[in-house]
Structures are given as C-alpha cells and as structure tokens.
Amino acid sequence: QVQLVESAGGLVQAGESLRLSCAASGSTANFNVMGWYRQAPGKQRELVATSTRGGSTNYADSVKGRFTISRDNAKNTVYLQMNSLAPEDTAVYYCRALKVVAGTSYEYWGQGTQVTVSS
C-alpha cells in the first residue's frame, strides 16, 4: 500500500514563501502523475500543480509564476515551492499520486496539510 506523507504547512504572512514536500513510501518514478491539490473552506478541492513522469508540469492559472512543482525520484519526494503567497492561497493542501498499471489506474492521496496566509 502506497503512503504519501506531507510535510507540515504553516502560518505565513502575505508575500512570504513556503515549501511543501510529499514523501512516498514507494518510488516516485513509478507514478505516472504526481500533483498538489488544495481545498479552501467551503470550496471544492482544486488542482494546484501536476508533474508527469515524463517531466511535463501543469499549473492552475491562479498559481502560475508563483508556485513550482518538482520531483526528486532519488528521494521519492515531490515538492511544491510556493512564493509570493496571498491570503487566497489559504487552504488544506493535498498530495496526489497516480499510477497506471496494465490499464488500471491507482490513485493515492496524502492526509493534507494546512497552509494559512495572513494579510
């Protein structure tokens, strides 16, 4: 069973930076897609950023130019570097991993970590 363990989030002020990490119990190189999602109070969970095994990345428009997703397969870890944080970035952030084996998709989620940005 794959486990994803996210680092602690935190409380930061607007304009500051924070880096989240997500350590996988298995090799991240085995995952077709790894990504970060977030859910703010009263809102649906939304995509923040994804990274494919081939190296492609995708970002939500709201975080483009501020957030960077990266994978370190040697450490089985995916990161989310968040710069110029704003109060609207306040949410619970979740790590997600997707593996496709013989046409069957397997999806895994981390437990979530709270990020709070004060103005």
Side-chain angles (χ1 to χ4, degrees):
Q1 181 70 16
V2 173
Q3 289 188 326
L4 303 176
V5 180
E6 294 131 345
S7 60
L11 171 63
V12 298
Q13 293 189 339
E16 293 185 340
S17 298
L18 190 64
R19 187 177 79 159
L20 302 179
S21 64
C22 171
S25 59
S27 172
T28 54
N30 294 330
F31 295 114
N32 298 75
V33 183
M34 296 197 75
W36 290 93
Y37 291 71
R38 67 187 181 186
Q39 187 167 18
K43 294 187 176 181
Q44 290 187 332
R45 190 173 298 186
E46 63 176 5
L47 179 148
V48 176
T50 59
S51 170
T52 69
R53 189 164 55 188
S56 298
T57 56
N58 182 52
Y59 296 91
D61 288 343
S62 59
V63 307
K64 281 181 181 177
R66 299 188 300 123
F67 290 12
T68 302
I69 187 172
S70 61
R71 293 166 73 153
D72 186 338
N73 291 332
K75 296 182 178 179
N76 298 330
T77 301
V78 61
Y79 302 95
L80 183 68
Q81 177 67 43
M82 304 183 291
N83 298 328
S84 302
L85 282 161
E88 51 265 36
D89 296 315
T90 295
V92 177
Y93 283 72
Y94 297 89
C95 177
R96 174 182 178 263
L98 177 69
K99 180 164 54 177
V100 180
V101 179
T104 300
S105 297
Y106 300 87
E107 181 182 60
Y108 307 94
W109 289 89
Q111 79 282 3
T113 187
Q114 177 71 46
V115 173
T116 303
V117 184
S118 64
S119 58

